[in-house]
Amino acid sequence: MLFSSIPFLYYFLPVVLAVYFLVPPRLRNSVLLCSSLLFYGWGEPKYVLLMAVSILSGYGFGLLLEHYRNRPASKVCCICSVAVSLGFLLYFKYADFFLENFNSVTGLELPLLEIALPVGISFYTFQIISYTVDVYRGEPAQQNFIHLATYISMFPQLIAGPIVRYSDIADQLKDRQHSTDLAACGIRRFILGLGKKILIANQLGELCSAFRSCQETSILFHWIYGIAFCLHIYFDFSGYSDMAIGLGKIFGFHFMENFNYPYISASITEFWRRWHISLGTWFRDYVYIPMGGNRVSRGRWFWNLLVVWMLTGFWHGAAWNFLLWGLFFALLLILEKLWLLKGLQKHSVLAHIYVLFFVMLSFLLFDAQTLPEAVSHIGGLFGMGGISLSSPETLYYLSSFAPILVLALLGATPLPKTLFLKLAQRPVIGKLITWTELFALLALLLVMTAFLVDGSFNPFLYFRF
């Protein structure tokens, strides 16, 4: 089930909210847990059992870790817990990748498992690992099974994050405050995130699909595609994160921000402090720092970076292009730390161009189905293959999608928010905004509903991961 779907918006969510606020506070986590399992099992009911086993594993290992705290057995329990969680992830997400490559190397023809990828497994696996590792490091284990199960399965951030650490919401699971203002803030955030998804990301997705199906591309069309896909993945993913954060507020939770205008960055280092913040924080705290971080020899430091970014790429998908995507960023980050950062700080305009160009190259690699396709898309930016500079088809799509491209380019910067806040500070305009905001949000919701009823292009990119 997608957030950007009629069943979720007009059936599932209203019923869940009604039941949630009608029951006594002590039962609200149970309502969230049951609704989350229903949400998770909507498309593939059999995978509810997988989630249940994962939850039981995390709960049981947490209790064992607390029981054996400060004893040698605790380390064994932690290793076993991580191994079980990663074992599920490796089997369901990466088994066919390993089999395919084993067959390629050996010449054998072992049959592929062809397992459907369980929705959200990359996210809830990391949440279980963070919980058990934090208990191993000294955090108290959760004794209440419902509380922990609610944390792991919570549908607002199950399929797209942000990746929430248990310690950040442990107190909120036990006792959280609800208010009209918080709910209103959450509804506003949800609708705006839904708008980013339906009105911007989906339209840019159509442009990207048009490029992929085009028989005669051009240099200009390759550049349009590169820019459009960068904006598409940003609005698609950040829109879902906004919806998750908004839903969290409605239910009384405060989730961390996941995006902070990454395309205004002046270095790749800064870009990754602004893009998918929860994932970067997770790899920093549970992989990079335990490996020694940067407090090791230079050679070991580079190795740590390469491992972390290889794993970051592999987390996104079971394909070589994702591994190379992660290693590409590792190389850029190493070059920045060695030589580039000082120069970038002196030339801000060139720094922004450098970031946008290399991020675009990275996402062309990210989006490719095969490595030859990635080479073709990147080479097309520079005329590889003797393609023309432009074409009538290119100009048609450029003119058709120019308004949405301009809107997306502006929306990827803090400019609209800054302008809105400045206008809101003016007495007359501020009052006008206060009175009209509700009607504007309702109108926006109606427009988006019309798009959904019409059956418009509405995929979610991160279902691939």
Side-chain angles (χ1 to χ4, degrees):
M1 190 188 304
L2 292 170
F3 291 166
S4 54
S5 67
I6 295 296
F8 178 83
L9 291 172
Y10 292 102
Y11 303 108
F12 179 83
L13 185 59
V15 171
V16 170
L17 287 172
V19 175
Y20 179 85
F21 284 107
L22 285 173
V23 302
R26 69 178 185 278
L27 296 179
R28 285 175 177 171
N29 281 348
S30 298
V31 172
L32 265 182
L33 173 59
C34 293
S35 59
S36 295
L37 293 176
L38 175 62
F39 177 90
Y40 185 75
W42 188 268
E44 289 284 352
K46 62 183 179 182
Y47 286 137
V48 173
L49 179 60
L50 171 64
M51 173 169 277
V53 172
S54 299
I55 292 170
L56 286 169
S57 170
Y59 179 72
F61 277 116
L63 295 180
L64 286 173
L65 285 163
E66 186 159 79
H67 179 74
Y68 291 110
R69 192 181 301 282
N70 299 323
R71 286 187 271 176
S74 66
K75 187 172 185 179
V76 176
C77 290
C78 184
I79 293 171
C80 289
S81 174
V82 173
V84 169
S85 295
L86 288 181
F88 287 142
L89 183 62
L90 289 171
Y91 177 76
F92 284 97
K93 188 170 182 177
Y94 300 103
D96 280 350
F97 172 78
F98 291 127
L99 284 172
E100 285 177 352
N101 285 278
F102 181 78
N103 288 342
S104 298
V105 171
T106 63
L108 298 175
E109 295 184 358
L110 297 177
L112 301 181
L113 302 179
E114 297 183 350
I115 305 170
L117 179 65
V119 174
I121 190 170
S122 298
F123 290 93
Y124 73 71
T125 296
F126 272 25
Q127 295 197 168
I128 294 171
I129 291 173
S130 72
Y131 165 70
T132 53
V133 171
D134 283 352
V135 174
Y136 171 73
R137 291 173 174 175
E139 293 286 339
Q142 176 54 257
Q143 307 294 319
N144 187 309
F145 177 77
I146 298 297
H147 287 2
L148 184 67
T150 302
Y151 156 71
I152 293 171
S153 66
M154 200 183 306
F155 75 86
Q157 42 79 233
L158 176 67
I159 60 174
I163 300 170
V164 179
R165 291 178 63 161
Y166 180 77
S167 57
D168 290 340
I169 65 166
D171 291 339
Q172 297 170 44
L173 284 165
K174 184 179 179 181
D175 180 31
R176 54 189 177 273
Q177 301 298 316
H178 300 84
S179 68
T180 304
D181 288 343
L182 186 62
C185 181
I187 292 169
R188 183 189 306 114
R189 186 72 179 266
F190 179 86
I191 292 177
L192 291 177
L194 188 65
K196 289 167 72 173
K197 164 66 181 159
I198 295 176
L199 302 181
I200 301 179
N202 286 359
Q203 310 313 307
L204 293 170
E206 287 192 35
L207 176 56
C208 294
S209 294
F211 169 83
R212 297 187 196 102
S213 62
C214 181
Q215 299 299 315
E216 295 184 9
T217 57
S218 64
I219 295 174
L220 178 59
F221 208 170
H222 276 85
W223 280 92
I224 293 171
Y225 162 65
I227 294 168
F229 184 75
C230 286
L231 293 168
H232 166 62
I233 191 172
Y234 168 69
F235 281 99
D236 196 59
F237 195 13
S238 69
Y240 249 88
S241 292
D242 287 341
M243 286 186 273
I245 293 168
L247 287 172
K249 289 181 183 296
I250 296 171
F251 291 109
F253 292 95
H254 299 271
F255 300 146
M256 71 179 297
E257 294 293 334
N258 215 18
F259 289 86
N260 183 23
Y261 302 107
Y263 291 140
I264 67 170
S265 302
S267 68
I268 298 299
T269 302
E270 182 185 356
F271 176 83
W272 276 103
R273 291 182 186 137
R274 293 174 175 271
W275 179 278
H276 205 340
I277 299 168
S278 64
L279 180 67
T281 302
W282 194 96
F283 273 107
R284 181 197 67 198
D285 293 344
Y286 298 103
V287 181
Y288 182 64
I289 292 176
M291 290 178 68
N294 58 2
R295 297 187 177 186
V296 290
S297 65
R298 176 166 286 190
R300 179 61 186 273
W301 177 34
F302 293 163
W303 171 251
N304 291 348
L305 285 171
L306 288 170
V307 169
V308 167
W309 284 97
M310 180 185 70
L311 293 174
T312 301
F314 206 36
W315 178 87
H316 282 84
W320 284 106
N321 64 304
F322 293 113
L323 279 168
L324 293 176
W325 178 78
L327 292 173
F328 176 75
F329 276 114
L331 177 61
L332 289 174
L333 289 167
I334 289 172
L335 291 175
E336 284 190 358
K337 294 176 189 303
L338 288 177
W339 300 296
L340 294 179
L341 277 180
K342 291 182 179 180
L344 293 173
Q345 291 169 356
K346 296 177 181 177
H347 305 284
S348 59
V349 175
L350 289 177
H352 288 296
I353 294 172
Y354 147 81
V355 170
L356 293 174
F357 176 71
F358 281 104
V359 167
M360 182 178 70
L361 293 186
S362 78
F363 280 135
L364 291 176
L365 174 61
F366 185 94
D367 187 46
Q369 298 297 316
T370 64
L371 293 180
E373 182 181 299
V375 172
S376 174
H377 288 169
I378 293 173
L381 299 172
F382 309 100
M384 188 181 78
I387 58 176
S388 62
L389 179 62
S390 185
S391 68
E393 193 170 8
T394 299
L395 296 177
Y396 167 77
Y397 282 110
L398 178 59
S399 61
S400 299
F401 286 90
I404 196 68
L405 283 168
V406 172
L407 178 63
L409 287 168
L410 290 174
T413 72
L415 182 62
K417 182 178 180 180
T418 301
L419 181 61
F420 177 83
L421 292 175
K422 286 186 176 180
L423 290 174
Q425 290 174 354
R426 297 185 177 183
V428 176
I429 299 178
K431 287 183 180 179
L432 181 63
I433 290 173
T434 301
W435 283 102
T436 60
E437 183 181 30
L438 175 61
F439 298 102
L441 290 173
L442 286 173
L444 182 61
L445 182 60
L446 288 173
V447 170
M448 293 184 291
T449 301
F451 271 83
L452 294 176
V453 171
D454 186 52
S456 301
F457 183 86
N458 187 37
F460 175 49
L461 189 63
Y462 263 66
F463 267 141
R464 288 172 56 189
F465 316 127

